[in-house]
Each structure stands twice: as C-alpha cells, then as structure tokens.
Amino acid sequence: WTLWPDFAALPNKNSAVMKYHILQPGEDITLGNRTVSHVDVNHAVPAVAYHVKNTVSSICYSGDTMSCDTLWDFVNEKELLSMLIVECAFPNENEALATLAKHYCPNTLSKDLKRLNLKNDVKIAITHLKPGGEADTKQQLQSLCPDIDFIWLENDTIYDL
C-alpha cells in the first residue's frame, strides 16, 4: 500500500481483483482458450520466457535475458509460432556492460538468432532498447541480420498476428 494498492486484497481478499498463481517449472496454465508456459532464462536476477498459444498461433516473449540454451530450445520446440519477442538492450559499444548485466547486444543476439530452427515465417520483435542507444542498436542488429525484417516494439502499437 506504499507505492500502489494491493489488488490481491481489493475489493477484499475473498473477491480480489488479482489472484496470484506461482507456476512451477514445466507447469502450464490455461486462461480461456490460451495456454501459457514458461522457461527459466539467463539474467542477473531470476527471469523467465513465456509462450502463449491458442489454437491458431502463438508468441514467445523473453524480456531480460542473454544467451542461454534453455531459451532457444524452448522457442524451437514451439508450433504455430507467429512472433518471438526478445530484448536487445545495449549497442555493441556496451557489450561488456551487456554481458555483466546479462542482456543482449547486437553481437550476441545475432549469433543466437542463427540458432532458430523455425518452420514458418516468424516475426522477430525487439524490445528493451536502452534510451540513448536505440539508433545504434537498431542499425547494428539490422546490419548483422540483413535477412530479418525486425519489428521494433513501440508504446501504444497493436501488432496483428
């Protein structure tokens, strides 16, 4: 209640607006006609990648991460994948900082994108570009992966899958 309301207790604990469910490794959860699964990824603090699917398509999303087998194995096993959302936080000039903070930069992400073994046309969306380095990061990643038409995620934009 210091920074924001406790939505797990509003309007009261018996009929709260939000209910939390801790997903165990390997556990999927169903929300309506969607199934959500997750896998641990490599970051300075515990982090996961999510896969959300329905009967016609799916997306994988990994926010904070750097190179790790679990992410790419997880993505490669998904069917009906329409979009992969992955971060590329720092430009190559900050690769040492990216490695220390366990984030991608264009050099490291471009190497891992070659690990994709996808059967259909998957959109690759990039998120988490650090302010001030966006233009360099975009240019570097695009020049390292000229065959990929990246989507650069922006606020208030709707993407049709």
Side-chain angles (χ1 to χ4, degrees), residues 116-137:
L116 284 174
N117 182 23
L118 302 171
K119 300 171 187 80
N120 55 331
D121 185 28
V122 176
K123 297 173 183 169
I124 309 293
I126 305 299
T127 187
H128 204 322
L129 291 97
K130 295 293 184 185
E134 301 99 316
D136 287 342
T137 303

Side-chain angles (χ1 to χ4, degrees), residues 12-144:
N12 60 60
K13 289 194 183 242
N14 293 330
S15 60
V17 173
M18 293 186 70
K19 295 178 183 175
Y20 297 98
H21 175 83
I22 297 172
L23 292 174
Q24 300 302 319
E27 178 186 5
D28 295 349
I29 188 168
T30 301
L31 303 168
N33 70 340
R34 293 172 188 88
T35 302
V36 179
S37 58
H38 73 287
V39 67
D40 291 336
V41 295
N42 187 14
H43 186 52
V45 297
V48 297
Y50 291 99
H51 177 246
V52 181
K53 71 174 182 174
N54 62 21
T55 58
V56 295
S57 69
S58 71
I59 65 169
C60 278
Y61 167 81
S62 182
D64 293 342
T65 191
M66 68 177 299
S67 187
C68 62
D69 291 339
T70 57
L71 173 62
W72 299 103
D73 291 346
F74 183 72
V75 171
N76 281 330
E77 72 183 21
K78 301 308 174 197
E79 296 180 10
L80 304 174
L81 190 63
S82 298
M83 180 181 277
L84 167 64
I85 302 171
V86 64
E87 67 125 286
C88 191
F90 295 96
N92 288 330
E93 293 75 23
N94 300 115
E95 186 168 354
L97 176 59
T99 300
L100 181 66
K102 295 194 174 183
H103 286 281
Y104 276 118
C105 69
N107 283 338
T108 54
L109 181 57
S110 65
K111 290 176 187 168
D112 276 2
L113 286 172
K114 292 176 184 170
R115 299 169 67 177
L116 284 174
N117 182 23
L118 302 171
K119 300 171 187 80
N120 55 331
D121 185 28
V122 176
K123 297 173 183 169
I124 309 293
I126 305 299
T127 187
H128 204 322
L129 291 97
K130 295 293 184 185
E134 301 99 316
D136 287 342
T137 303
K138 289 177 180 181
Q139 184 277 322
Q140 292 166 359
L141 186 58
Q142 194 64 72
S143 68
L144 289 166

